Amino acid sequence: MPLVHMKDLLNHAYAHGYAVGAFDVVNLEFVEGVMAAAERSRAPVILSLAESQLEHYDFELLMSGVEAAARRSSVPVALHLDRGANLEAAVRAIRLGCNSVMMDASQSTFSDNLAHTKTVVEMAHACGVPVEGSLSYLTDAMDINAQWHTAALPSTTVAEAKGFVERTGVDFLEVSIRVEQSCPNSKAKLDIQRLRSINQALGIPLSIHCRVRLDDDQFRRLIVHGVAKINCFTALAEAANAAIRARARSAPGAGYLDLVQSVGAAISAKAERCMRVLGAAGRAAEVLACCRPWAPVEHLIIHNVIGISEKEVAAMMSEGQQALSTIPGVRSVITGKAMKEHAQYRYCWRVRFAAPEVIDSYHRHPDYTAFTNRRFLPVADREISIDYAMESL
């Protein structure tokens, strides 16, 4: 079950001079292609779901497939919400299985970005989940909607980056470094000195989205100066598009399944190349050896009741499911009743937490306190509560 802590993963990359590809996936073909590439190259990998792309798929449905792929993998995997717009998006992503979230308020004022990001950090850290902040909107060589720009893009300053990290507590930071390009096919010029200064000031893993095409050496220079996460999407999307077009040309009357039959292989080949360029290939074993596994906690409660009817019990438990399932870090709340009428304990609750850190934050949450004190404790009898660390799912 090599779903691992994202913070451990990126800290390892940062300390050992390579970067992990964060691949935005939009369907199972992308998931399968990226994971096949990671397995072949024995590379750690980040599977990302970008909030900006949610109009193209059902987030909850795709997340279930993404998490299943991660848990059956033999290489280290982290699951990341890319470009989260607000606190609600981050809470939902954690509930559905992401173990890292990005808060992107970089299009707001600096003060608003700082305030929104700090709120997400406080919530996510209470769930054991690291947060990526953003002081840029540099797309990656891989954004399907990327446009070539002749003007230099705004750049992150050292003072901004240092103040932002200190005041928000983010674990990773996406930064913007000035990029200049004289024409669409020319080699971009990166402000490596700026990146070097930011890295020296912060000492945390950095990430980059880049609007221009970079060659292999430029990616390596980014990594040398602290970039441990590089977002990859457009290269994969372009490979998928090319595979479909090539099939359409060779078989004009092909149906849907025929048209997409080579898409997975094209995505996988491109993803593997990215992993090798970033220096992640062959790192799986050492990453697994030093990263904590990411595993949920099952909070189990068994009890009887006194003084209320079966109908009232059902109403109480239904209300509890609704109230408790919205608490950050709670992945699911399931209630049940003993099949034997005279069982020693008649009722049960199974509350799944995203991580051990949620045990404390859950019991401190006002919704938990309100429901427990008002509805549960007055009628609960012989309650037993135990938290179990789940070793496999």
Side-chain angles (χ1 to χ4, degrees):
M1 189 181 66
L3 185 56
V4 300
H5 276 253
M6 173 83 145
K7 188 168 184 177
D8 293 351
L9 173 58
L10 289 190
N11 282 344
H12 185 275
Y14 183 72
H16 292 82
Y18 68 96
V20 182
F23 298 90
D24 282 354
V25 295
V26 294
N27 58 34
L28 290 181
E29 289 171 328
F30 274 72
V31 176
E32 292 170 357
V34 170
M35 290 309 304
E39 295 281 1
R40 283 196 308 274
S41 60
R42 307 307 300 163
V45 65
I46 299 166
L47 297 179
S48 296
L49 285 84
E51 188 169 5
S52 58
Q53 297 167 346
L54 293 188
E55 65 186 272
H56 302 296
Y57 56 83
D58 184 300
F59 184 63
E60 184 170 357
L61 289 178
L62 187 55
M63 264 305 304
S64 64
V66 168
E67 185 174 19
R71 292 200 180 279
R72 75 181 188 185
S73 169
S74 66
V75 298
V77 186
L79 307 180
H80 181 65
L81 173 68
D82 191 23
R83 305 257 166 235
N86 49 45
L87 177 65
E88 292 72 23
V91 171
R92 181 181 183 225
I94 294 169
R95 176 173 61 81
L96 294 178
C98 288
N99 66 345
S100 172
V101 296
M102 179 185 190
M103 178 60 200
D104 182 12
S106 58
Q107 302 305 294
S108 304
T109 64
F110 181 83
S111 60
D112 285 347
N113 185 5
L114 191 151
H116 293 318
T117 303
K118 184 177 180 180
T119 299
V120 170
V121 169
E122 290 171 350
M123 178 280 298
H125 281 183
C127 300
V129 172
V131 178
E132 177 184 0
S134 178
L135 285 177
S136 85
Y137 183 65
L138 280 184
T139 67
D140 119 276
M142 317 197 177
D143 181 355
I144 194 68
N145 298 312
Q147 299 292 325
W148 173 63
H149 293 276
T150 55
L153 294 168
S155 299
T156 306
T157 68
V158 174
E160 282 177 332
K162 196 168 187 299
F164 189 82
V165 170
E166 289 175 349
R167 295 169 67 183
T168 62
V170 293
D171 303 278
F172 331 114
L173 184 66
E174 180 193 56
V175 296
S176 176
I177 57 172
R178 186 173 68 248
V179 177
E180 295 178 356
Q181 195 170 18
S182 58
C183 64
N185 295 319
S186 66
K187 185 175 179 179
K189 295 180 180 179
L190 302 177
D191 190 348
I192 294 297
Q193 179 55 50
R194 180 182 297 271
L195 181 63
R196 179 187 295 113
S197 298
I198 292 172
N199 181 42
Q200 290 172 346
L202 300 186
I204 64 171
L206 304 176
S207 70
I208 287 286
H209 287 236
C210 181
R211 271 202 189 276
V212 295
R213 303 285 173 181
L214 303 181
D215 62 28
D216 294 356
D217 180 64
Q218 287 176 312
F219 277 117
R220 295 185 186 106
R221 292 180 69 198
L222 294 175
I223 293 166
V224 165
H225 297 295
V227 174
K229 172 178 173 284
I230 295 180
N231 289 42
C232 310
F233 175 65
T234 296
L236 305 190
E238 289 176 348
N241 291 342
I244 293 171
R245 291 192 180 102
R247 182 59 180 163
R249 286 193 299 269
S250 65
Y256 173 76
L257 292 178
D258 286 335
L259 287 174
V260 300
Q261 67 177 356
S262 60
V263 165
I267 289 170
S268 192
K270 185 63 69 173
E272 182 176 356
R273 184 182 186 283
C274 292
M275 294 169 188
R276 294 189 182 281
V277 169
L278 302 184
R283 296 278 189 172
E286 63 188 277
V287 172
L288 285 174
C290 73
C291 289
R292 293 166 291 167
W294 181 265
V297 169
E298 297 286 359
H299 176 60
L300 301 181
I301 303 169
I302 56 174
H303 66 96
N304 293 319
V305 298
I306 53 175
I308 60 174
S309 67
E310 285 287 329
K311 183 177 180 180
E312 290 170 320
V313 172
M316 181 269 290
M317 296 181 90
S318 176
E319 181 181 334
Q321 281 184 296
Q322 294 180 36
L324 302 178
S325 63
T326 63
I327 295 174
V330 171
R331 297 205 54 191
S332 63
V333 180
I334 299 173
T335 61
K337 185 170 69 172
M339 297 183 69
K340 292 184 178 179
E341 185 174 351
H342 300 293
Q344 185 177 1
Y345 290 94
R346 189 89 170 109
Y347 305 100
C348 72
W349 301 67
R350 192 196 77 181
V351 185
R352 175 168 290 177
F353 298 150
E357 289 84 351
V358 182
I359 295 172
D360 291 335
S361 60
Y362 171 81
H363 286 98
R364 293 194 307 266
H365 197 278
D367 289 351
Y368 168 83
T369 303
F371 170 75
T372 301
N373 292 340
R374 181 176 60 86
R375 294 286 276 139
F376 182 75
L377 290 179
V379 299
D381 181 43
R382 301 170 63 199
E383 172 199 356
I384 296 177
S385 173
I386 306 175
D387 297 311
Y388 292 93
M390 306 309 291
E391 296 181 357
S392 62
L393 291 177

